Structure formats: C-alpha cells, structure tokens
C-alpha cells in the first residue's frame, strides 16, 4: 500500500470519536478495597513505593487514590511493556512526567529474560532511599519496597524479573494476561540479597469509579479492566479510530485490506474471513449464509 493513498483516504476519517451515552461499568471487587486498606496501614514498614503502569498509556488511568500513598514515601514510576509502546516519544513522556513532579522513571520489559533496565532498578531505588530519611527504619539493614498499580500492568512480572536477575531464582508470583490475577494482599517476597531487599506484592487497584469513558477505553484496550465493562464492540471501533488518527496503518497489510478504513464492520468482516472465524448457519429460507465472528486484536497505543 502506497503512503500517499493511505494519507488521502485518512483525510476523510473521523476526527472525533462519538462515545454516545456510554459509561464504564464499576469494577471495584472486595480484594481491591481490602488491598488498598492494608497498603495504607503498611506504609510505616516501607522504604520506597514503586508504582508500575503500562508504557502504552503513561498519562491515562493511573489511580489518583495512590497520590496520598506516594506523598508519604519515596516514589518510583516504572513504565512496563515498553516493547509494546511507541518509544519514539520517550523523551517527551519523561519531560511531561517531570512537569507533573514524577522524576524517577524507568522503562522496562519484565517478560524479557535479560532486560538491562531491570538491572538498573535496585541501584536507582537505593539512590532514592539514601536521599530521604528512613525514620523508624533507620536501624534496619534490609529494605522493603511496595509495588502498586492498576491491574494487569506487570507487578508480578516485575517481582519475578527481579528475582531472576538478582537471585537467579524462578518466579514467585503468578502472572496472567487478564486483570485480577493477584488477589493476595501484601505478600512479602525477597528480590535481592546485596543489599537484602524485599518487595510487597499487592493486588491491582482501580479507582472505585472511572468517570472518563475514553480513559476506561484505553485501560480496556491494554487489558487493565475487563472488556465487557466497556463493551467489545466499541473497543474495536475506538481502536480503529485511534490507529487511523495516529497514522498507524500497519493493520492494512497485516489483514490484507486493500486500503485503510474507518468502518469497523467492514474491517471486522474482512479479518474474520481472513482468520476463518466464520460459522455456517441456517437461513430462514432453508439455505445457508455465513455469520461472521467479530475478532479484534489489541495494538500498542500511547496516550
């Protein structure tokens, strides 16, 4: 597909997405409320708070409830899944975060067996801790960190990566591709022996209510909230709208489309046929007609 053809077609695409009257359903199960309460109560024994978030949406969906937690302890932000993000904007992202008071930032890919970024984490944390008073923990020779974040951003993967890198040991936390895998509250796991460092694993916690529908859409597309809370149909349409708006037309070649499209039904039908996700059903006349299964694939998106 030629670039000029894609740009010509894109000129007629939507510039604003219509969410209608749609709202994001609430998802704040009991383990989140319990986890948030215990996290606050355990801050006295914590030297540093590590917030982990999805690098594809560095400015969307971070839980504002965490702000009061971050204010009372040294804080580090890890933007995970960097392999899925557009890193051409990395410096811009860092500058914008710094303007918002977030200066200690690290991009990681915790699923990678040998990630150089993971090796930088412990030295960065030690430098942060050394520049802040430890108060009641000043006599302790070991260090305790708390990892927090919304669901499915890689908190458990971070713990496993630290153990793999620093202790040469296998995983200690269960991981999965959907939100809500970790429900245990404040499991203490050693992640380093020089210095001795423990990390408190916590369940992902969303704000009790997500008022902004677009934020909920981005969280859902990144697997942070369950698809049905937003709606699979509108998720697919919003993803197509976002890709076109960003000028990312790689989906055309991937799914053998003739050109970029702003019509989600056309795109889904084409994808379903290509992937053979079709089903023969009886028509009223007694004949048969193909019924197409709508299929979407989550793509990287930076907000």
């Amino acid at each position: 597909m030629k670039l000029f053809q894609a740009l010509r077609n894109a000129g007629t695409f939507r510039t604003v997405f219509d969410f209608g009257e749609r709202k994001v359903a609430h998802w704040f199960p009991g383990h989140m409320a319990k986890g948030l309460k215990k996290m606050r109560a355990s801050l006295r024994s914590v030297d540093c708070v590590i917030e982990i978030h999805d690098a594809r949406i560095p400015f969307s969906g971070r839980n504002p409830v965490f702000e009061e937690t971050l204010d009372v302890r040294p804080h580090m932000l890890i933007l995970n899944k960097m392999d899925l993000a557009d890193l051409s904007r990395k410096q811009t992202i860092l500058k914008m975060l710094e303007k918002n008071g977030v200066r200690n930032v690290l991009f990681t890919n915790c699923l990678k067996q040998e990630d150089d970024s993971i090796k930088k984490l412990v030295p960065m944390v030690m430098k942060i801790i050394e520049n802040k008073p430890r108060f009641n923990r000043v006599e302790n020779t070991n260090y305790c960190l708390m990892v927090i974040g919304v669901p499915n951003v890689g908190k458990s993967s971070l713990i496993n990566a630290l153990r793999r890198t620093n202790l040469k040991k296998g995983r200690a936390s269960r991981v999965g591709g959907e939100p809500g895998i970790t429900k245990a509250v404040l499991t203490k796991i050693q992640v380093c022996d020089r210095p001795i460092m423990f990390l408190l694993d916590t369940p992902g916690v969303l704000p009790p209510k997500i008022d902004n529908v677009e934020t909920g859409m981005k969280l859902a597309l990144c697997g942070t909230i369950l698809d049905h809370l937003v709606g699979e149909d509108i998720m697919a349409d919003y993803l197509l709208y976002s890709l076109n708006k960003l000028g990312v037309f790689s989906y055309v070649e991937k799914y053998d489309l003739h050109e970029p499209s702003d019509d989600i039904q056309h795109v889904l039908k084409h994808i379903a046929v290509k992937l053979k996700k079709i089903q023969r059903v009886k028509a009223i006349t007694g004949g048969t007609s193909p019924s197409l299964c709508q299929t979407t694939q989550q793509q990287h998106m930076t907000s």
Side-chain angles (χ1 to χ4, degrees):
M1 179 193 62
K2 296 181 179 180
L3 178 61
F4 76 87
Q5 183 181 3
L7 294 176
R8 182 190 65 189
N9 295 335
T12 63
F13 290 170
R14 292 167 291 179
T15 57
V16 177
F17 190 84
D18 181 15
F19 291 102
E21 299 298 320
R22 189 177 293 265
K23 295 182 180 180
V24 182
H26 296 181
W27 188 48
F28 193 68
H31 74 271
M32 289 190 186
K34 181 180 178 182
L36 188 59
K37 183 177 180 180
K38 286 200 172 185
M39 285 157 58
R40 288 169 172 160
S42 301
L43 281 175
R44 183 176 174 81
S45 62
V46 171
D47 293 299
C48 181
V49 173
I50 297 179
E51 181 188 3
I52 185 165
H53 198 60
D54 196 310
R56 293 171 289 182
I57 48 171
F59 307 113
S60 297
R62 289 175 59 200
N63 192 340
V65 177
F66 290 148
E67 290 183 11
E68 60 187 85
T69 302
L70 303 181
D71 285 342
V72 297
R73 282 291 181 269
H75 168 229
M76 180 177 183
L77 175 64
I78 291 180
L79 293 175
N80 191 36
K81 305 185 181 182
M82 60 182 284
D83 55 312
L84 302 177
D86 178 11
L87 294 184
S88 66
R89 298 185 57 221
K90 182 176 178 179
Q91 293 305 316
T92 302
I93 291 170
L94 290 173
K95 288 179 181 178
M96 292 180 68
L97 287 170
E98 187 173 3
K99 283 184 179 180
N100 293 329
V102 183
R103 295 177 177 82
N104 303 305
V105 182
L106 183 66
F107 285 80
T108 63
N109 174 12
C110 291
L111 293 181
K112 188 177 179 181
Q113 288 298 311
E114 294 289 338
D115 183 11
D116 291 336
S117 299
I118 295 296
K119 297 176 182 178
K120 300 176 184 177
L121 194 147
V122 171
M124 285 183 67
V125 167
M126 290 304 300
K127 185 175 181 180
I128 294 170
I129 293 175
E130 288 170 0
N131 291 329
K132 298 286 184 178
R134 295 186 72 196
F135 301 110
N136 60 298
R137 291 185 52 78
V138 69
E139 301 294 332
N140 287 32
T141 57
N142 57 60
Y143 299 88
C144 183
L145 317 178
M146 179 186 289
V147 59
I148 63 175
V150 297
N152 201 29
V153 289
K155 294 181 295 298
S156 296
S157 295
L158 172 66
I159 292 174
N160 294 334
L162 285 169
R163 285 174 59 82
R164 184 170 62 243
T165 301
N166 300 320
L167 300 176
K168 309 302 180 186
K169 292 185 178 181
R171 69 182 191 179
S173 292
R174 182 185 169 206
V175 298
E178 61 183 40
I181 293 295
T182 301
K183 291 184 171 65
V185 180
L186 299 180
T187 303
K188 190 173 184 179
I189 302 168
Q190 184 174 356
V191 294
C192 188
D193 56 0
R194 294 183 183 180
I196 297 175
M197 187 174 289
F198 295 90
L199 205 153
L200 297 177
D201 192 11
T202 64
V205 178
L206 287 167
K209 184 178 181 181
I210 300 174
D211 294 317
N212 187 297
V213 179
E214 189 165 14
T215 296
M217 199 73 62
K218 293 174 181 178
L219 289 170
L221 284 170
C222 290
T224 298
I225 63 176
L226 300 173
D227 292 353
H228 71 269
L229 297 179
V230 175
E232 292 87 343
D233 54 342
I234 196 171
M235 282 174 58
D237 195 18
Y238 181 77
L239 175 59
L240 179 64
Y241 159 78
S242 299
L243 292 173
N244 288 333
K245 184 178 180 181
L246 293 170
V248 179
F249 303 117
S250 54
Y251 68 89
V252 175
E253 181 177 356
K254 182 176 180 64
Y255 295 112
D256 295 333
L257 293 168
H258 298 299
E259 59 185 4
S261 174
D262 200 31
D263 182 352
I264 187 59
Q265 292 302 322
H266 168 74
V267 173
L268 288 176
K269 288 177 181 178
H270 195 94
I271 294 173
V273 172
K274 175 179 172 57
L275 299 180
K276 298 181 180 179
K277 301 294 184 180
I278 59 176
Q279 183 179 6
R280 307 291 300 185
V281 296
K282 289 183 178 181
I284 297 176
T285 59
T288 59
S289 62
S291 173
L292 301 174
C293 301
Q294 295 182 352
T295 304
T296 63
Q297 178 169 350
Q298 295 179 2
Q299 303 283 346
H300 68 275
M301 173 180 57
T302 304
S303 66

